């Protein structure tokens, strides 16, 4: 980013893509612990996080991730339904006392994930592609398997052997062998940067598959739910690879994992396969979401086009989605981001304002309004928006930098220098940190 670009209002498209993404809070690694008992095998293993560490990291970082995915859907009954299924699974696990919770988030890509303390999310994209409650139970069961096997803690322990503190926070990406590839085009419309995604081993994924099937069948579900889920993901990867890039960035859904699920359903859980799949109940609870399917499809296409930098075509798709669902929060935020990248600041601001009206408690629209106000040269309004965002979702260092820009625009160099310095202290080492450091040097704050 050029030194004076913010103030000449000549930001590049890349600058605005960075601004419109929500950069995550800096991760503070807790004191790494030593050995603990594996809850699955009963054996002593080297771990990096205590259970309380896992829960603490979860509570600190999961809200940022959920907001990066446009918040939980505004359908209380659907969220209650998904959470109730997770709690029914949790009672039958090796770690029933973990504070599990689950919700559906407004993101359109196909995925689900968990934080190490049991906070889970399914995207509305994957909810539309499942056909039964049994598949949902399989998906949540897989995530619950990652939590129970303490894959995050074990990975932190392995990392500790090489370099203490490198990667201790992990999000278990559903049904994947994800190995840490960056989000598409740094737009933050896939997985947000507020959480560090885990790269689990194939062995971890297989164990989560096995535990997921064990937990779902204990809760009374048909094991064919796992088989059907695997088959759906395998098919979607061939038909819509871009929507599953986050899940399968390193390894596509393997035929081997599908075959294992099918074999386990037949051999180990064969007596449970005659149970009727819970399709009607699933369809009833997702009826409201399914009404939005055409809008969600248009948004999926728009996000793919944005990743390819085809912004005009992406805008067309987002416009189509808003014709179907004009009050869709995600649709308005996506349209605003697309317009912002095209430097149509006033129009972008109107969409962010509409999103904030539709979902007043969700943080991303507040953040994006701050960006659009900054682009429009309305620094006091930008500052107010960032302050509102911080009250809802504290801990995002990016707002420190943007507040610094706002204060400098308002000719308050003292406040600007304080915020720039705080951004640098957060550990950020990107172009924005360089910009901030150059400002502090120019003002004589640092040498």
């Amino acid at each position: 980013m050029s030194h004076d670009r913010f103030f000449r209002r000549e930001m590049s498209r890349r600058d605005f893509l960075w601004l419109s993404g929500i950069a995550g809070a800096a991760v503070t690694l807790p004191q790494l612990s030593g050995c603990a008992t594996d809850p699955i095998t009963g054996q002593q293993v080297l771990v990096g996080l205590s259970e309380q560490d896992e829960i603490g990291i979860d509570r600190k970082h999961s809200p940022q991730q959920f907001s990066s995915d446009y918040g939980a859907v505004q359908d209380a009954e659907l969220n209650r339904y998904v959470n109730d299924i997770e709690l029914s699974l949790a009672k039958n696990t090796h770690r029933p006392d973990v504070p599990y919770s689950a919700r559906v988030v407004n993101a359109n890509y196909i995925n689900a994930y968990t934080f190490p303390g049991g906070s889970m999310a399914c995207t509305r994209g994957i909810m539309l592609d499942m056909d039964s409650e049994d598949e949902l139970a399989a998906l949540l069961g897989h995530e619950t398997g990652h939590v129970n096997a303490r894959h995050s803690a074990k990975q932190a322990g392995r990392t500790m052997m090489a370099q203490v503190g490198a990667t201790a926070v992990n999000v278990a990406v559903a049904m994947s062998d994800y190995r840490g590839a960056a989000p598409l085009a740094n737009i933050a419309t896939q997985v947000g940067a507020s959480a560090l995604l885990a790269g689990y081993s194939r062995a971890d994924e297989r164990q989560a598959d096995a535990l997921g099937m064990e937990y779902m069948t204990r809760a009374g579900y048909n094991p064919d739910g796992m088989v059907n889920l695997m088959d759906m993901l395998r098919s979607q990867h061939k038909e819509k690879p871009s929507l599953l890039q986050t899940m399968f960035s390193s390894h596509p859904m393997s035929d081997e994992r599908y075959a294992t699920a099918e074999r386990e359903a037949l051999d180990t859980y064969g007596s449970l396969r005659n149970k009727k799949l819970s399709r009607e109940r699933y369809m009833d609870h997702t009826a409201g979401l399914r009404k939005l399917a055409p809008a969600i499809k248009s948004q999926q296409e728009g996000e793919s086009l944005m990743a390819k930098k085809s912004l005009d075509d992406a805008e067309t798709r987002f416009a189509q989605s808003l014709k179907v669902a004009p009050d869709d929060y995600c649709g308005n935020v996506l349209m605003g981001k697309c317009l912002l990248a095209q430097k149509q600041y006033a129009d972008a601001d109107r969409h962010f304002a509409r999103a904030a009206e539709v979902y007043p408690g969700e943080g991303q629209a507040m953040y994006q309004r701050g960006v659009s106000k900054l682009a429009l040269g309305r620094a006091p309004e930008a500052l107010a928006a960032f302050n509102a965002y911080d009250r809802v979702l504290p801990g995002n260092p990016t707002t420190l930098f943007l507040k610094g820009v706002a204060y400098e625009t308002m000719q308050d160099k003292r406040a600007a220098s304080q915020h720039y310095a705080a951004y640098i202290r957060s550990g950020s080492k990107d172009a924005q940190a360089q910009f901030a450091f150059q400002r502090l040097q120019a003002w004589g704050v640092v040498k």
Side-chain angles (χ1 to χ4, degrees), residues 37-43 45 92-95 100 144-151 154 207-208 210-211 214-215 218:
T37 301
D38 187 313
I40 311 299
T41 66
Q43 297 176 346
V45 293
N92 298 282
T93 66
H94 296 82
R95 300 174 67 192
Y100 300 98
T144 307
H146 278 304
V147 175
N148 275 262
R150 300 193 70 210
H151 289 152
K154 292 175 185 177
Q207 185 179 30
L211 289 171
E214 178 182 345
Y215 298 155
R218 283 184 184 179

Side-chain angles (χ1 to χ4, degrees), residues 28-142:
T28 301
L29 184 68
Q31 183 67 40
L32 295 176
S33 60
C35 292
T37 301
D38 187 313
I40 311 299
T41 66
Q43 297 176 346
Q44 289 288 303
V45 293
L46 179 68
V47 298
L49 301 177
S50 70
E51 184 170 304
Q52 288 306 308
D53 288 335
E54 291 176 294
I55 293 171
I57 284 173
D58 188 316
R59 290 175 176 168
K60 181 176 181 180
H61 295 282
S62 61
Q64 297 278 353
Q65 178 64 50
F66 298 149
S67 184
S68 185
D69 282 332
Y70 308 99
V73 295
Q74 292 172 281
D75 183 338
E77 186 57 36
L78 177 58
N79 284 317
R80 186 160 43 247
Y81 168 66
V82 171
N83 192 56
D84 285 348
I85 293 171
E86 172 53 32
L87 295 180
S88 74
L89 296 172
K91 291 186 294 187
N92 298 282
T93 66
H94 296 82
R95 300 174 67 192
D97 295 330
V98 170
Y100 300 98
S101 63
R103 74 278 297 141
V104 180
V105 289
N106 278 306
N108 299 312
Y109 65 101
I110 300 169
N111 201 7
Y113 52 86
T114 185
F115 279 78
S119 294
M120 302 178 190
C122 306
T123 65
R124 62 183 186 177
I126 201 168
M127 292 294 291
L128 286 176
D129 283 334
M130 293 187 291
D131 293 322
S132 71
E133 188 173 302
D134 304 78
E135 289 181 45
L136 176 58
L139 182 64
L140 293 171
H142 176 95

